[in-house]
Amino acid sequence: AYARHTVDGSSYLLTIMDDATIASTNNDMALSTRKIIESKYKITWKDDLDHVAGIEITQDKVNRTITFKQDAKVEDLLNTFLPHWKSIPLSSLPTTPMKPGSRSTPLTDAEQSRHNILCLPLDIKNYQSKEGQLLWLTHTWLDIIYSQHEKSSQSHSPSMHDMDEIDRIIKYIA
């Protein structure tokens, strides 16, 4: 992010990968910042912001609110790692991203057995892909931050139990 402050106000150029947007204290500051950038770079501008870095944005200018969604990214995640997600009965999906007490209660015998099986290299790559996509979703899915963070610590050597737990987070999202 880049900041510009003058007596007329402040503007901020917010960048991520090849997307950028200007936030400012007033329209004149946004326009003058835009002109500075356009004088040095060939840029394509959209007057109404609807996407930044894969995050869908809806602006309600009357009520001065902005809503962020990642529906397309969620569908990509589910289609990739839970392809039958649309046909799963809602009643069979978890209502929390982690099972209650999952860090304070001992593993069941079945969970311990899965915990003793380390993932193979291909499984580790799959685990890391799931974890990375979940990390991106934490921008708008705040209720998965803790569980995603817990699973990220296992990304170098996950067990099959860790895979089961990351799959639970994905099922929760579904």
Side-chain angles (χ1 to χ4, degrees):
Y2 301 90
R4 178 174 172 245
H5 305 286
T6 71
V7 295
D8 298 322
S10 298
S11 63
Y12 304 89
L13 178 66
L14 311 169
T15 63
I16 184 166
M17 295 186 242
D18 63 347
D19 286 348
T21 188
I22 297 173
S24 64
T25 54
N26 59 63
N27 285 337
D28 289 341
M29 278 301 293
L31 290 174
S32 66
T33 301
R34 179 175 166 171
K35 285 181 183 178
I36 291 169
I37 296 167
E38 287 176 330
S39 73
K40 298 182 189 252
Y41 303 99
K42 183 179 176 174
I43 305 267
T44 302
W45 294 97
K46 290 176 76 176
D47 289 328
D48 286 322
L49 191 62
D50 60 3
H51 283 83
V52 172
I55 298 174
E56 302 153 49
I57 300 170
T58 306
Q59 298 179 71
D60 181 344
K61 292 179 181 178
V62 173
N63 293 313
R64 299 179 53 91
T65 62
I66 298 174
T67 303
F68 299 96
K69 294 188 305 183
Q70 291 179 294
D71 292 354
K73 186 64 178 165
V74 168
E75 286 194 20
D76 287 346
L77 171 82
L78 296 174
N79 289 336
T80 301
F81 298 114
L82 193 63
H84 61 287
W85 68 277
K86 290 181 181 178
S87 64
I88 299 174
L90 286 177
S91 61
S92 69
L93 294 170
T95 57
T96 60
M98 297 175 78
K99 72 176 192 165
S102 61
R103 294 294 163 250
S104 60
T105 57
L107 297 177
T108 66
D109 289 342
E111 291 168 339
Q112 185 63 54
S113 176
R114 299 278 291 162
H115 180 70
N116 293 336
I117 303 170
L118 294 179
C119 290
L120 299 172
L122 185 59
D123 295 324
I124 293 171
K125 184 177 179 180
N126 190 28
Y127 182 93
Q128 291 170 341
S129 180
K130 291 175 183 182
E131 189 273 321
Q133 290 188 45
L134 289 173
L135 174 61
W136 186 251
L137 290 178
T138 62
H139 293 298
T140 57
W141 283 66
L142 302 180
D143 52 339
I144 66 168
I145 288 175
Y146 179 78
S147 55
Q148 181 280 326
H149 177 73
E150 284 290 310
K151 294 293 83 187
S152 70
S153 65
Q154 304 303 318
S155 65
H156 292 294
S157 58
S159 69
M160 292 309 290
H161 175 66
D162 295 317
M163 185 72 80
D164 295 341
E165 288 188 325
I166 209 159
D167 287 341
R168 178 190 173 99
I169 301 168
I170 293 169
K171 289 175 185 171
Y172 167 75
I173 288 172

